[in-house]
Amino acid sequence: MQFLAYIILYPLLYLVSLLPFRVLYFLSDGLYILIYRIIAYRKSTVRKNLLLALPELNFAERLKIEKKFYRHFCDTLVEMIKTITVPVTEIQKRFVIENPEAIKEMEARGKGVAFLCAHYCSYEWMLVMNRQLTTHKGFGIYKTIRNKYFDRLVKKLRGRFDAQLIDTRRIIPAMRDHRRKGILGFYGFLSDQSPKLTSTIYWGKFFDMEVPVHVGAEILAKKLDLNILFVKSSKTGRGRYKARFIPFDGNPKDLPNYEISDMFMRMLEDDIREAPEYYLWTHKRFKHRKNDPPAIN
């Protein structure tokens, strides 16, 4: 069944990826009607998340953000499909790194780097940063897809950005192996995800709610002596993004436990408040929370 699903869907996705961007965004407009207005994909989750995160806004204001989010969500879907065939040089034009010197600075420090990012703007195209690496190699931390054929496809696509994927269950032995072999890596962590309650070791503040926080990047940075790099990204137009990298200048070991994770969550919250429509609100980020925000309209 896995192979059957692959051979049916992949040719279709491949053909769609050959379409020019202007046609893809026309399809995205139709996809918006289907996903948002007809199927109502996770609409209740999105609406609940926006209410919890932004209770100071009235219903009409949150509804406006909701619609903008679904339009962006559909754009990112067609952009992911386009990644199958689009030249990486084209994506480099569309995803601009404002300060590539920050990457060179981190490489010059001679250590591996924990790169903390989130499901915000175009987190897939952010892999284009690997084209800036010279002495280091890019690694993405991800969860294996159940369909092994699509799993291989995802690895192949991200490999176009010179990124090697490591399953979350293998990250620690892989990083230790890299250290023994003298391999310096940029390790990308999507650190905004909500961990399972059974594996939660820290609860932090996010939009005035106490929620479980992924602290793996911080723990590994301290344990394996890695530097830390944050990212601030934004959308400048349809299919156009930019990112600014923010190096952490101190030694992670010098800070109290979980301070770096809290710092990341505060930076992410600031980005979301500036343009909330670009966050992935379909995730149940606040499912496990110890409190509601002070006031909900």
Side-chain angles (χ1 to χ4, degrees), residues 2-14:
Q2 288 189 354
F3 181 65
L4 180 62
Y6 178 78
I7 61 174
I8 291 174
L9 290 176
Y10 178 70
L12 176 61
L13 295 176
Y14 184 87

Side-chain angles (χ1 to χ4, degrees), residues 116 168 189-196 199-204 211-219 258 260-262 264-265 285:
L116 277 65
T168 52
F189 293 86
L190 282 166
S191 297
D192 64 313
Q193 300 182 81
S194 181
K196 294 180 180 179
S199 59
T200 296
I201 62 175
Y202 177 66
W203 294 70
V211 296
V213 175
H214 258 298
V215 295
E218 176 180 345
I219 290 175
Y258 316 126
I260 291 171
S261 298
D262 282 338
F264 166 75
M265 297 302 287
R285 186 61 187 87

Side-chain angles (χ1 to χ4, degrees), residues 19 63 97 134 139 141 149 164 167 205 260 283:
L19 298 172
L63 183 62
I97 300 173
T134 53
F139 297 94
I141 317 304
Y149 301 100
Q164 180 178 325
D167 184 83
K205 284 287 186 180
I260 291 171
H283 279 194

Side-chain angles (χ1 to χ4, degrees), residues 7-159:
I7 61 174
I8 291 174
L9 290 176
Y10 178 70
L12 176 61
L13 295 176
Y14 184 87
L15 290 174
V16 171
S17 75
L18 295 173
L19 298 172
F21 275 101
R22 64 180 181 276
V23 179
L24 283 175
Y25 289 126
F26 177 78
L27 291 179
S28 177
D29 291 339
L31 198 59
Y32 165 78
I33 296 173
L34 175 65
I35 289 178
Y36 179 61
R37 299 193 178 279
I38 299 176
I39 299 176
Y41 173 70
R42 294 198 175 186
K43 185 184 286 189
S44 61
T45 297
V46 172
R47 193 161 289 183
K48 177 71 172 183
N49 282 341
L50 288 171
L51 175 60
L52 288 168
L54 304 169
E56 70 276 9
L57 301 183
N58 60 41
F59 177 78
E61 291 170 324
R62 290 195 300 269
L63 183 62
K64 185 177 180 180
I65 293 170
E66 177 185 301
K67 293 178 179 179
K68 286 183 177 180
F69 159 72
Y70 274 99
R71 290 194 178 278
H72 169 70
F73 178 71
C74 292
D75 279 0
T76 59
L77 290 179
V78 299
E79 287 165 5
M80 289 171 65
I81 295 173
K82 184 65 175 176
T83 307
I84 295 174
T85 57
V86 68
V88 176
T89 52
E90 175 66 19
I91 297 180
Q92 286 178 295
K93 296 176 183 177
R94 291 175 169 271
F95 194 104
V96 177
I97 300 173
E98 291 187 307
N99 59 334
E101 66 277 4
I103 297 176
K104 303 303 179 187
E105 176 193 336
M106 297 302 279
E107 286 188 305
R109 297 183 186 184
K111 295 181 181 180
V113 179
F115 177 67
L116 277 65
C117 52
H119 291 88
Y120 188 74
C121 281
S122 179
Y123 48 93
E124 288 287 342
W125 281 5
M126 195 177 296
L127 289 170
V128 78
M129 67 170 286
N130 290 321
R131 289 301 183 96
Q132 301 286 336
L133 300 178
T134 53
T135 60
H136 286 51
K137 181 173 178 57
F139 297 94
I141 317 304
Y142 90 120
K143 187 175 182 179
T144 301
I145 299 172
R146 290 184 180 180
N147 187 311
K148 64 180 180 180
Y149 301 100
F150 281 106
D151 188 68
R152 290 174 190 169
L153 175 62
V154 169
K155 289 180 178 178
K156 180 180 178 181
L157 292 181
R158 294 180 179 176

Side-chain angles (χ1 to χ4, degrees), residues 220-238:
L220 289 172
K222 291 185 175 185
K223 192 168 188 176
L224 300 177
D225 194 24
L226 306 176
N227 287 313
I228 291 179
L229 189 67
F230 301 106
V231 62
K232 180 179 177 60
S233 57
S234 59
K235 187 172 185 177
T236 58
R238 211 167 191 185

